[in-house]
Amino acid sequence: MFKNLRGLFSNDLSIDLGTANTLIYVREQGIVLNEPSVVAIRVHNGQKTIEAVGSDAKRMLGRTPGNITAIRPLKDGVIADFQVTEKMLQHFISKVHESKFIRPSPRVLICVPCQSTQVERRAIRESALSAGAREVRLIEEPMAAAIGAGLQVSEATGSMVVDVGGGTTEIAIISLNGVVYSDSARVGGDRFDEAIVSHVRRRYGSLIGDSTAERIKQEVGCGFAGSELREIDVRGRNLAEGVPRSFSLNSDEILEALQEPLAQIVQSVKSALEQSPPELAADIAESGIVLTGGGALLRDLDRLISDETGLPVIVAEDPLTCVARGGGLAMEMMDRHTIDLLSTE
Amino acid sequence: MENSESPAEVKSTPGRRLREAREAAGISPREMADRLNWLPAQFAAIEDDRFDDLRGAAFVRGYLRAYARAVELDEDEMVELYAALHPEQQEPAGQATAAPPASAISQPTGMSIGLGVAVAVIVIGAIWFKQEGTEEPPPQSEQAVAETATGDAPTGAPAEVEAEVAEEPEVDTAAPAEPAVDLAASAAAADQPVAPVALVETETEPEIQRAQPEVTELAAADPPPAEAEDVAAATSPVVGADGDLQFSFSGDCWLEVRDGEGQLIYADLKRAGDTLGLDGIPPFEILAGDAATVTLLYQGEPVAIRTRPGRDTARFTVGEP
């Protein structure tokens, strides 16, 4: 009962609980929160306390003293640490509500990977309920991404969405408000970062952190061989000498480093196309594949997929927020028409 | 349709701009369509600004960006030109993603509703708290219990009892009322009990039991003073190893038992391994400080002790008719 009363003071939220970033969308407000899914925990006398959440905690990644650990509670799109996820959600939900007097109790729609198991979905649901939500709905990420990208999901025409997230790449073929085919590859932005770290270690004998790897990916990373050549200067710890050294990297070698994860994404897209019903495949061949998610920001990833599949590939507007925005729109659609876009638990 | 427009407007359509850039680069339409993996019809639709032939604004924006990149034009400019041409095809809701400050969400409901609800919440909360409060062992009764358990017995007992039980006066001095109250409080919180007091308490236990026949005898023989009657009432149901109620303890636990007449017949801290038998007038109202450590048999039948979620204490009644 108290949750319902508190609900009067709360907004409906659509949450993209991602491995790398958590985004919250509020109706008529747009994206109100976009923070890294990172929590810093201080251990004092065996007791754990939350030191920082989001951007503050991300700055601590790899720079923490012994008694503080900055962790990412989600792995491969699903919850790896239940309690920390709950605390993180609680923090984010209260952060997007103005009133500090009444604890918010919003209705929440959370996007889940389409290949997540019932246990993983339940963990996400429970986590949100414990974080104070009064009602939790789940939607499959590619469906939310398609709605957020502005595709006409209710039409009897096939649309293919490839959502390249931090931990997973979700691929789905959607028609008539439903997912016809879906697949989830456990490869995403994090794998790109790892590939860059290991490339730098192999090639330059130097160790760089995840944050540096991410910066390299954003600035010079690319997915297609014909791209413009770019360079970046980075510093890392030389493994042989043990002292920081500076060196420069170019986009060609980063492309080489990213070959393996990129090949996995391309392979998943191809197998989705192989398994799609012929009528829908024809629709996709005509209109093309839509890329969403933070990974779609990798330069010329669309050209790579287009080249490999021979189909038009477009990057959605503002791909990073597609899922959260789509979730919010889906919530409105469900309220208006009671359309069942919900994923079954 | 462009024919009727002025040259400046004609130049500003995205299709025309892209076509010009392609022609300037010397690329044939077929070659460009192949490079982008587009169908020729689609390609023609873009160059001729026939955007209605394509599948929605999302795709049009994507195509324009891809084409602009291929001919090295500014992608954003093309999308802006398209938006100017088709203002009705606005970007999806919430596209303005310049995240407002964290606490930017205004409260959706009217202030009056909010205040009304807040008052209701406070009233309901107060009632709820009051109910919650009665579940807790009240501190006053704890004090009374402590007095009954330690102070009253020796002072109120007749001289014969005092003479019989040599340790009783010591108990009186060793465990004055105040420490006993502390003990009761700490036991209720399932904390470490205060060692010396607890020791005295356990030592007195058998003594009171040994004194029991004497007390009842006295009560039967000649009319005792009023105070002695109270003691008899307070101690008589304690019968040692047998009785209707059989307690055994696997840990430290504060125990209070009231009989059917509301008389407090037992109140003490029990230690791990202790057993206790009680008799009296049913039904018995029992309060156990740490219910998980208590095993109870009533007339030989085991009694399930249920606690409220998140609490160790249990208050329950056995022997109800």
Side-chain angles (χ1 to χ4, degrees):
Chain A
M1 184 182 74
F2 284 108
K3 278 198 166 185
N4 286 338
L5 286 174
R6 293 209 314 267
L8 290 173
F9 295 86
S10 310
N11 297 283
D12 292 350
L13 307 178
S14 154
I15 303 180
D16 174 12
L17 191 60
T19 314
N21 291 293
T22 295
L23 286 91
I24 299 185
Y25 170 94
V26 178
R27 189 183 299 184
E28 290 164 15
Q29 307 273 336
I31 301 288
V32 293
L33 182 132
N34 178 1
E35 295 217 30
S37 309
V38 184
V39 180
I41 297 165
R42 178 190 289 274
V43 182
H44 184 68
N45 288 342
Q47 284 210 320
K48 290 181 178 177
T49 50
I50 303 289
E51 182 74 15
V53 181
S55 315
D56 297 338
K58 195 184 182 187
R59 274 195 291 277
M60 297 180 185
L61 266 180
R63 296 188 173 98
T64 51
N67 62 339
I68 299 177
T69 37
I71 61 164
R72 298 171 65 165
L74 289 121
K75 199 166 167 53
D76 297 334
V78 294
I79 292 179
D81 189 322
F82 186 82
Q83 279 186 326
V84 177
T85 307
E86 181 190 316
K87 292 286 174 202
M88 187 178 78
L89 272 177
Q90 206 168 22
H91 175 89
F92 288 151
I93 290 173
S94 65
K95 197 170 175 182
V96 299
H97 283 85
E98 204 172 45
S99 171
K100 300 284 177 260
F101 177 63
I102 296 165
R103 201 155 60 87
S105 178
R107 284 197 313 165
V108 165
L109 180 131
I110 300 186
C111 310
V112 292
C114 47
Q115 296 290 308
S116 53
T117 62
Q118 279 195 10
V119 176
E120 289 163 342
R121 286 175 191 209
R122 198 176 181 106
I124 288 173
R125 185 189 288 274
E126 299 281 328
S127 181
L129 285 172
S130 311
R134 75 174 188 281
E135 188 185 324
V136 180
R137 295 170 171 189
L138 303 179
I139 186 172
E140 290 182 338
E141 262 168 31
M143 176 56 92
I147 297 170
L151 307 187
Q152 306 297 318
V153 291
S154 56
E155 287 177 4
T157 326
S159 309
M160 183 165 177
V161 180
V162 178
D163 180 57
V164 187
T168 57
T169 294
E170 308 281 323
I171 298 159
I173 296 168
I174 292 161
S175 175
L176 288 169
N177 283 330
V179 175
V180 179
Y181 170 87
S182 72
D183 191 17
S184 178
R186 301 219 156 175
V187 51
D190 290 349
R191 286 285 301 280
F192 295 160
D193 294 347
E194 285 167 22
I196 292 171
V197 170
S198 69
H199 166 81
V200 170
R201 193 176 53 227
R202 244 191 349 261
R203 175 75 64 88
Y204 297 93
S206 287
L207 211 56
I208 54 167
D210 288 343
S211 311
T212 310
E214 195 179 354
R215 192 164 58 87
I216 295 168
K217 176 183 73 183
Q218 286 165 354
E219 291 188 20
V220 302
C222 70
F224 190 67
S227 305
E228 169 200 359
L229 192 74
R230 294 185 189 178
E231 284 205 347
I232 186 174
D233 285 329
V234 288
R235 278 169 288 281
R237 180 163 58 82
N238 190 290
L239 286 166
E241 300 167 27
V243 288
R245 282 273 176 267
S246 163
F247 47 91
S248 86
L249 295 165
N250 67 40
S251 48
D252 274 354
E253 56 185 316
I254 298 304
L255 172 65
E256 199 186 314
L258 297 180
Q259 276 311 308
E260 197 195 324
L262 287 174
Q264 272 190 48
I265 292 175
V266 168
Q267 189 49 48
S268 303
V269 173
K270 281 182 176 171
S271 61
L273 288 168
E274 279 165 17
Q275 296 186 44
S276 90
E279 288 300 331
L280 298 181
D283 292 340
I284 295 162
E286 190 188 321
S287 57
I289 299 168
V290 181
L291 289 186
T292 65
L297 293 169
L298 183 76
R299 195 158 52 100
D300 287 337
L301 180 64
D302 53 338
R303 280 180 75 185
L304 172 76
I305 297 175
S306 178
D307 200 60
E308 292 282 341
T309 58
L311 299 177
V313 176
I314 64 164
V315 179
E317 293 288 304
D318 202 1
L320 203 63
T321 63
C322 270
V323 172
R325 281 189 285 118
L329 296 172
M331 213 167 188
E332 286 173 39
M333 286 163 73
M334 282 185 260
D335 283 348
R336 272 204 309 272
H337 311 295
T338 59
I339 294 174
D340 189 22
L341 291 168
L342 290 182
S343 78
T344 47
E345 196 180 311
Chain B
M1 65 177 183
E2 287 82 7
N3 296 346
S4 60
E5 290 166 4
S6 70
E9 280 171 327
V10 169
K11 198 170 171 70
S12 70
T13 67
R16 186 162 286 262
R17 287 282 302 277
L18 292 166
R19 182 201 297 255
E20 282 170 3
R22 174 181 59 76
E23 284 168 354
I27 305 168
S28 73
R30 180 76 194 215
E31 201 182 331
M32 185 53 92
D34 282 350
R35 195 184 289 186
L36 292 167
N37 290 319
W38 291 0
L39 300 177
Q42 250 175 327
F43 186 79
I46 286 281
E47 286 204 339
D48 298 342
D49 295 313
R50 287 184 283 109
F51 301 124
D52 293 341
D53 294 357
L54 301 165
R55 268 189 64 193
F59 280 102
V60 173
R61 279 191 289 268
Y63 296 148
L64 289 175
R65 281 183 186 281
Y67 195 168
R69 206 149 22 114
V71 292
E72 294 175 356
L73 282 179
D74 185 6
E75 297 175 31
D76 293 332
E77 196 190 334
M78 290 303 118
V79 174
E80 277 164 25
L81 286 174
Y82 167 68
L85 213 61
H86 292 269
E88 77 284 357
Q89 299 281 15
Q90 279 309 304
E91 291 175 341
Q95 193 73 36
T97 50
S103 58
I105 300 177
S106 57
Q107 298 307 320
T109 48
M111 205 54 200
S112 51
I113 298 172
L115 277 174
V117 171
V119 168
V121 168
I122 290 165
V123 170
I124 293 162
I127 295 164
W128 185 65
F129 260 102
K130 208 173 171 186
Q131 286 171 348
E132 281 289 293
T134 54
E135 295 288 322
E136 292 288 326
Q140 287 87 347
S141 69
E142 275 170 18
Q143 190 160 356
V145 166
E147 277 166 9
T148 327
T150 57
D152 273 6
T155 48
E160 287 86 344
V161 179
E162 283 184 5
E164 283 279 327
V165 188
E167 289 88 328
E168 284 286 349
E170 279 176 36
V171 174
D172 197 12
T173 50
E178 247 180 50
V181 172
D182 288 345
L183 170 69
S186 61
D191 270 340
Q192 290 275 323
V194 183
V197 181
L199 194 66
V200 172
E201 296 273 287
T202 40
E203 275 171 3
T204 28
E205 192 68 45
E207 300 304 333
I208 292 169
Q209 286 171 6
R210 235 189 296 147
Q212 185 50 45
E214 282 292 323
V215 173
T216 38
E217 222 171 77
L218 254 162
D222 51 327
E227 285 169 355
E229 235 172 25
D230 286 346
V231 177
T235 52
S236 61
V238 183
V239 293
D242 52 22
D244 279 350
L245 292 167
Q246 292 290 335
F247 294 92
S248 56
F249 299 88
S250 59
D252 294 349
C253 176
W254 176 260
L255 184 72
E256 267 182 46
V257 183
R258 281 174 195 274
D259 66 10
E261 292 173 338
Q263 287 280 349
L264 187 74
I265 57 170
Y266 190 84
D268 203 350
L269 178 73
K270 303 303 290 177
R271 312 302 297 256
D274 284 0
T275 56
L276 173 68
L278 289 174
D279 247 342
I281 305 150
F284 299 97
E285 196 190 324
I286 299 165
L287 169 74
D290 189 358
T293 64
V294 184
T295 314
L296 171 61
L297 297 176
Y298 178 66
Q299 294 176 340
E301 294 290 318
V303 178
I305 303 173
R306 274 175 295 181
T307 56
R308 291 172 50 139
R311 291 180 180 223
D312 296 331
T313 54
R315 188 186 284 275
F316 56 99
T317 309
V318 293
E320 275 175 317

